[in-house]
Amino acid sequence: MQAIRSPQILMLSGIGPAEELAKFDIPVLLDQPGVGRNLSDHGILYHTWKVKDLSAGWTLGSSNPLFNEPQYSYGTPGDFIVSTDVPKNGLIAAIAEDEGATPDSATHPLLANKRTFTEHVPIYAAAPDGSLVTSVLTTMLPTSRGSVKLSSADTRDPPLIDPNYLGSAVDRYMAREGLKLQAGAPGFDEVLSENSTNKYIGARLRAAMRSGYHPMGTLVMGAVVDTDLKVKGVEGLRAVDTSVFPVPTTGHLQVAAVAVAEQAARIIYASRA
Ligand SMILES: Cc1cc2nc3c(=O)[nH]c(=O)nc-3n(C[C@H](O)[C@H](O)[C@H](O)COP(=O)(O)OP(=O)(O)OC[C@H]3O[C@@H](n4cnc5c(N)ncnc54)[C@H](O)[C@@H]3O)c2cc1C
């Protein structure tokens, strides 16, 4: 039922942190503190840039004949996505701030190999006269974790979601580096540049970062479900959606969600009789 509603349904059914259920007088069938914890999401920032030279033909609305091609009339007028790592020195400092000790670059999971930290999509439109262009920045490897809690005992009410975007030094560093990379592209105005201070860029991120619609991890495999997707401590109940992801995927979730569903079908089929 997806990583927001699945923990809500479990909690409303009496499976979850006892103190959370007690707030709404829900009888506790299983005190499971992990339900609704460990939420992660890819944060997204849309930033609109003023184009310095309209005649350069960077945007829909300019005189560039490229944008008369039909593909730029359907959906989002963009044509590539690029994923990037982040510079390691700053990353080491951010990890040290979060973890209280200098990490070992050879073994730390964020340092030992190249990783996808940010994703960038240019959108060649934002104003009819072609004076603006939009960039999309997505943080792909968040280390902060949020939560899903109950707002009431009524299944029709949305739960309380705390995504905790930019909640760790690593997340703030990754987002800042991603935005600086975009600001370094030639031809944009100077309101925000690669030389802007961390404080200035951080304020922009805090003001505008929002959900990438990729919630995951709220019934995390290990703590809440086992490797057969069974909810631990409960007979005959499985969770099959992005809530079981133990760590954030560094790609969009659809493929991994379908893979979990197909694997679940195999597990359930094999367990018959
Ligand atoms: C706007 C948007 C754009 C996205 N774009 C992309 C993309 O381009 N690429 C990509 O890879 N991923 C994308 N995603 C993410 C992807 O769609 C989700 O990660 C994926 O669908 C999650 O699968 P799921 O099975 O966990 O949940 P869902 O696909 O959300 O399925 C949950 C189902 O449970 C049902 N449900 C909820 N509550 C109850 C209830 N009480 N009783 C019965 N049924 C219930 C819902 O109606 C829904 O059908 C996007 C998501 C959004 C919201």
Side-chain angles (χ1 to χ4, degrees):
M1 274 183 299
Q2 207 237 39
I4 302 298
R5 291 293 185 174
S6 289
Q8 180 194 26
I9 288 289
L10 256 65
M11 286 188 274
L12 292 175
S13 307
I15 302 163
E19 81 278 3
E20 195 60 30
L21 308 189
K23 287 181 195 164
F24 302 101
D25 296 324
I26 298 169
V28 179
L29 298 183
L30 178 70
D31 180 12
Q32 173 45 278
V35 172
R37 303 294 189 264
N38 195 53
L39 170 67
S40 61
D41 186 11
H42 299 140
I44 276 199
L45 180 88
Y46 286 84
H47 192 83
T48 300
W49 309 83
K50 195 168 178 197
V51 175
K52 276 184 190 162
D53 176 9
L54 272 180
S55 69
W58 282 39
T59 56
L60 222 74
S62 71
S63 57
N64 189 340
L66 177 72
F67 292 112
N68 295 331
E69 298 286 329
Q71 64 268 30
Y72 293 103
S73 309
Y74 303 127
T76 302
D79 54 11
F80 70 88
I81 293 179
V82 63
S83 301
T84 56
D85 204 346
V86 289
K88 293 297 181 209
N89 283 348
L91 182 59
I92 289 169
I95 294 170
E97 187 180 333
D98 285 338
E99 299 181 1
T102 304
D104 178 354
S105 298
T107 58
H108 195 285
L110 297 181
L111 294 165
N113 298 296
K114 278 179 95 65
R115 303 291 305 267
T116 295
F117 281 89
T118 54
E119 181 189 272
H120 309 262
V121 185
I123 301 176
Y124 306 113
D129 66 355
S131 61
L132 302 172
V133 68
T134 307
S135 61
V136 186
L137 167 69
T138 310
T139 51
M140 300 304 289
L141 197 44
T143 61
S144 54
R145 295 292 180 267
S147 63
V148 174
K149 295 181 178 177
L150 294 177
S151 62
S152 79
D154 189 334
T155 184
R156 291 165 299 187
D157 290 338
L160 298 175
I161 304 166
D162 174 8
N164 197 20
Y165 299 124
L166 306 170
S168 68
V170 167
D171 289 7
R172 293 187 288 277
Y173 174 71
M174 149 179 33
R176 277 199 313 269
E177 287 303 309
L179 196 49
K180 280 185 196 173
L181 198 65
Q182 295 183 351
F188 294 157
D189 68 356
E190 302 288 340
V191 172
L192 190 79
S193 84
E194 55 194 331
N195 298 319
S196 297
T197 63
N198 286 346
K199 194 175 169 194
Y200 186 82
I201 294 176
R204 169 72 187 136
L205 289 164
R206 277 197 308 282
M209 183 145 270
R210 63 166 185 75
S211 177
Y213 303 121
H214 291 171
M216 50 195 146
T218 48
L219 300 175
V220 65
M221 185 176 287
V224 180
V225 301
D226 64 18
T227 51
D228 282 335
L229 303 164
K230 287 180 175 166
V231 177
K232 290 178 170 180
V234 183
E235 281 290 313
L237 180 63
R238 283 186 164 92
V240 182
D241 57 24
T242 61
S243 62
V244 304
F245 289 10
V247 290
T249 60
T250 53
H252 293 224
L253 303 199
Q254 190 69 65
V255 169
V258 171
V260 167
E262 292 195 351
Q263 182 68 5
R266 277 188 210 104
I267 292 169
I268 293 165
Y269 187 78
S271 69
R272 293 179 320 151

